[in-house]
Amino acid sequence: MSSARVDYIAPWWTYWLHNFPHINLRFQPSDNSFQPEDENYKQSLIFLSCVAAAGLGLNLLCLAIYLSILCCCRKDEDEESKSPKSCCVTWSAVAAGLITCVAVGVGFYGNSETNDGVYQLTYSLYNANHTLGGVDSLVTGTMSSMKSGLHQHLARLDEIFATRGDFVQTLQFMQQMADNVIKQLLGLPDWEEAKVDLASIADQTGNIEYYRWLTYLLLLILDLIICLLACLGLAKQSRWLLTTMMVFGVLTLVLSWASLGAELATAVGTSDFCVAPDKFLMSQTKGAVGADILHYYLYCNQTLSNPFQQPLTIFQRSLTTMQIQIQGLLQFAVPLFPTAEGDLQGIQHLLNSSEASLHQLTALLDCRGLNKDYLDAMVGVCYDGVEGVLYLCLFSILAACAFTVMLCAIPRAWRQIACRERDYDDIDEEDPFNPRARRIGSQNPNHTNMHSFCSYSSSMGSQNSLHPPAPAVSNAPMSEYMNQTALFGGNPRYENVPLIGRGSPPPSYSPSMRATYLSMTEDQRRHFGNDFQA
């Protein structure tokens, strides 16, 4: 960046953005020069924001078409189709989460870069404002001391030296030199107006940047929270959480496209300024500061002469002449007029302070100080600032893509959750092999008194009075069956007894096998009833 401090060179991305088509709202091409007061130029920047708004409309239209197709086109819910859908939702959620994380990282970097660039701009503006304020205070102070202080001393000395014409002539010559100094100081540009403008611009820019930085920080945090909550809703299969995140996802999608429009217009407008900043500055300071003076500070080449060299030289020579005259009066007039010593020493002190102000004024008016502030401001705006805005544009694009994928995945996941709950509700609650029925049975003790085909305790008698055919003896120990039932969380009323011992089918039976078992159980009950009556 040291070469940029010798001579400002706009970065390549500002030329790329500067070459963007500038079209007003009447679809007519306009000049791409930075002219913020021109109505056509303002419309060309608004047109770029409208392009982002058109992208938002197209995005929402595609989402609406996708949701319509998803709601209208019902596919079969067989086992072969469920697995690919679940896999698609999972990978969509993973892709949305990764894109969101990348977008948030890019956004944080772009927000920091933009803030650094604007801070460097305001810092340079404050430094330039301090320099111009110093110049103005030195000029004002020197002129005030020459007009009031020196005039008072010379008036008193004129009364003291009234009888000596040569001394009075020396005093008149010194008054001419003081008037010449005031004339040269009046020839310097009036920096007061520029000083006020720079201070107000720096204050307004700092306030706007603070709220911009805070807004983007909240937007980044909001994007991250919505992504995390959406992933949590998919993991927990919470339909209300997914519905809420879908609403916030649409809101964030709108914010992403809106921020993209603002960032694009800002980047293009700033690049138009960065390509030719000297033209804009000369047009703004026309009438207040001469073109040669502004050119001297913007480029600060050794070949350029200092436009203040002549008045500063005359100022220095006038002070030197006045110092010589005061030294002569102190040497020859004080022995004759001792009362004049105080005024002569006061004039000498005033000339010494004026000479010190002259050296400070010469240093402040040198082009190197203000040129450094100018280059720092341009580097902050055109390098860090525009680069950060470009990263924020990338963040907005990635965030829009991530939330588009998320909004496509959430409805499909919502349908899958609804289908699972519907299939789960279709299971017979009286079916003891239904996990819900077993949980209800364990939570409701009165429900255990209901008749069940898994138990032989009924009005026909107990298992001790009935002697059903002995089942086949299994070599598996009792603890193996109990461990299996403990793993599946079964009801202790049924699961503490081996399945073979009570004639119950294993929980993994299909509905058709369960129906076959029920019919076999009814035949066994009839057979046992006939034997009991006999």
Side-chain angles (χ1 to χ4, degrees):
M1 207 59 66
S2 60
S3 61
R5 295 184 180 274
V6 176
D7 189 13
Y8 167 73
I9 300 175
W12 63 267
W13 52 80
T14 58
Y15 287 100
W16 177 63
L17 292 170
H18 177 67
N19 292 327
F20 272 28
H22 289 63
I23 302 174
N24 58 19
L25 297 181
R26 295 183 297 273
F27 298 98
Q28 297 175 353
S30 61
D31 189 12
N32 58 358
S33 300
F34 185 70
Q35 300 172 358
E37 298 86 3
D38 186 61
E39 190 65 26
N40 288 327
Y41 184 78
K42 292 179 181 178
Q43 292 183 5
S44 66
L45 297 182
I46 296 175
F47 181 82
L48 294 175
S49 301
C50 294
V51 172
L56 171 62
L58 183 61
N59 193 356
L60 294 177
L61 179 63
C62 294
L63 282 175
I65 294 174
Y66 172 79
L67 294 178
S68 301
I69 294 175
L70 186 65
C71 294
C72 297
C73 299
R74 298 278 183 177
K75 296 184 179 180
D76 297 333
E77 296 292 339
D78 53 357
E79 295 294 334
E80 295 181 357
S81 62
K82 286 181 181 180
S83 178
K85 289 182 182 178
S86 178
C87 182
C88 179
V89 171
T90 302
W91 282 109
S92 298
V94 171
L98 290 177
I99 296 175
T100 303
C101 292
V102 173
V104 170
V106 172
F108 271 111
Y109 179 76
N111 197 29
S112 177
E113 282 291 302
T114 305
N115 183 258
D116 292 342
V118 176
Y119 174 78
Q120 191 169 351
L121 169 64
T122 56
Y123 185 78
S124 300
L125 288 177
Y126 282 126
N127 282 342
N129 179 69
H130 179 73
T131 301
L132 297 179
V135 171
D136 183 71
S137 63
L138 288 174
V139 171
T140 304
T142 304
M143 290 178 60
S144 176
S145 63
M146 287 291 176
K147 287 181 178 180
S148 61
L150 183 62
H151 180 72
Q152 293 176 2
H153 290 297
L154 291 178
R156 286 194 295 267
L157 289 174
D158 188 63
E159 295 177 358
I160 296 173
F161 298 151
T163 58
R164 294 292 301 266
D166 53 347
F167 292 162
V168 173
Q169 187 178 2
T170 302
L171 294 178
Q172 293 176 354
F173 179 74
M174 291 180 62
Q175 183 63 49
Q176 292 178 358
M177 292 293 101
D179 293 338
N180 194 18
V181 169
I182 294 174
K183 181 180 178 181
Q184 299 302 322
L185 292 177
L186 288 175
L188 295 177
D190 186 9
W191 301 101
E192 183 66 23
E193 183 179 357
K195 178 175 73 69
V196 173
D197 289 339
L198 288 180
S200 62
I201 290 173
D203 292 336
Q204 293 176 3
T205 305
N207 293 331
I208 294 173
E209 171 57 22
Y210 172 74
Y211 289 109
R212 185 211 63 81
W213 175 84
L214 184 60
T215 301
Y216 270 96
L217 183 63
L218 295 177
L219 181 60
L220 292 169
I221 296 174
L222 178 64
D223 289 354
L224 193 60
I225 290 176
I226 291 176
C227 179
L228 293 177
L229 291 179
C231 294
L232 181 63
L234 291 174
K236 294 290 186 179
Q237 296 185 356
S238 174
R239 286 192 293 176
W240 71 267
L241 185 58
L242 290 178
T243 304
T244 305
M245 290 304 104
M246 189 171 182
V247 174
F248 280 100
V250 173
L251 176 62
T252 311
L253 184 65
V254 174
L255 291 177
S256 298
W257 282 102
S259 63
L260 178 61
E263 293 153 4
L264 185 60
T266 303
V268 173
T270 308
S271 298
D272 293 339
F273 168 74
C274 292
V275 168
D278 51 348
K279 294 182 180 179
F280 174 74
L281 294 176
M282 287 183 179
S283 64
Q284 292 297 311
T285 57
K286 187 176 182 181
V289 181
D292 56 340
I293 297 175
L294 188 62
H295 193 271
Y296 169 71
Y297 285 112
L298 291 181
Y299 299 100
C300 193
N301 294 328
Q302 295 180 354
T303 57
L304 298 175
S305 60
N306 189 346
F308 308 109
Q309 186 65 42
Q310 183 178 358
L312 292 176
T313 302
I314 296 174
F315 187 7
Q316 176 67 45
R317 290 176 180 175
S318 299
L319 289 178
T320 304
T321 303
M322 294 171 70
Q323 289 279 10
I324 295 173
Q325 297 297 325
I326 290 296
Q327 290 292 338
L329 291 175
L330 286 172
Q331 183 177 0
F332 299 104
V334 170
L336 299 177
F337 302 94
T339 57
E341 184 177 4
D343 289 318
L344 291 175
Q345 289 181 350
I347 293 175
Q348 189 177 29
H349 177 71
L350 189 148
L351 293 177
N352 291 333
S353 63
S354 298
E355 188 175 4
S357 298
L358 172 64
H359 293 305
Q360 296 179 10
L361 187 62
T362 303
L364 291 176
L365 289 176
D366 188 75
C367 67
R368 287 174 292 182
L370 288 176
N371 182 258
K372 178 181 180 299
D373 296 332
Y374 165 71
L375 292 178
D376 288 342
M378 296 308 300
V379 168
V381 172
C382 302
Y383 282 82
D384 295 337
V386 177
E387 183 183 5
V389 173
L390 288 177
Y391 277 109
L392 289 178
C393 291
L394 180 59
F395 151 72
S396 299
I397 295 174
L398 291 177
C401 294
F403 284 101
T404 301
V405 174
M406 184 183 298
L407 292 175
C408 292
I410 287 178
R412 187 175 291 274
W414 200 90
R415 279 189 56 190
Q416 290 185 8
I417 296 172
C419 291
R420 289 172 183 170
E421 291 183 355
R422 185 173 62 251
D423 295 341
Y424 194 71
D425 293 336
D426 291 340
I427 300 176
D428 187 8
E429 300 230 352
E430 296 297 330
D431 188 358
F433 300 105
N434 181 10
R436 178 183 295 180
R438 290 190 288 176
R439 287 194 296 266
I440 294 175
S442 62
Q443 296 173 1
N444 188 6
N446 296 327
H447 187 71
T448 59
N449 296 328
M450 297 176 59
H451 295 290
S452 174
F453 61 84
C454 292
S455 173
Y456 290 105
S457 58
S458 63
S459 60
M460 297 187 312
S462 62
Q463 290 184 1
N464 295 328
S465 62
L466 298 178
H467 300 282
V473 179
S474 174
N475 294 328
M478 180 72 69
S479 61
E480 180 179 352
Y481 293 99
M482 296 180 68
N483 292 335
Q484 292 178 357
T485 57
L487 289 173
F488 291 99
N491 190 343
R493 180 183 168 216
Y494 304 107
E495 304 300 338
N496 287 341
V497 183
L499 295 178
I500 297 177
R502 67 182 187 188
S504 299
S508 60
Y509 272 31
S510 63
S512 60
M513 299 179 67
R514 187 180 303 142
T516 303
Y517 174 77
L518 291 176
S519 61
M520 292 175 60
T521 305
E522 292 296 331
D523 295 338
Q524 289 179 0
R525 288 182 178 177
R526 295 193 196 95
H527 178 70
F528 293 152
N530 294 333
D531 291 345
F532 181 74
Q533 292 177 1

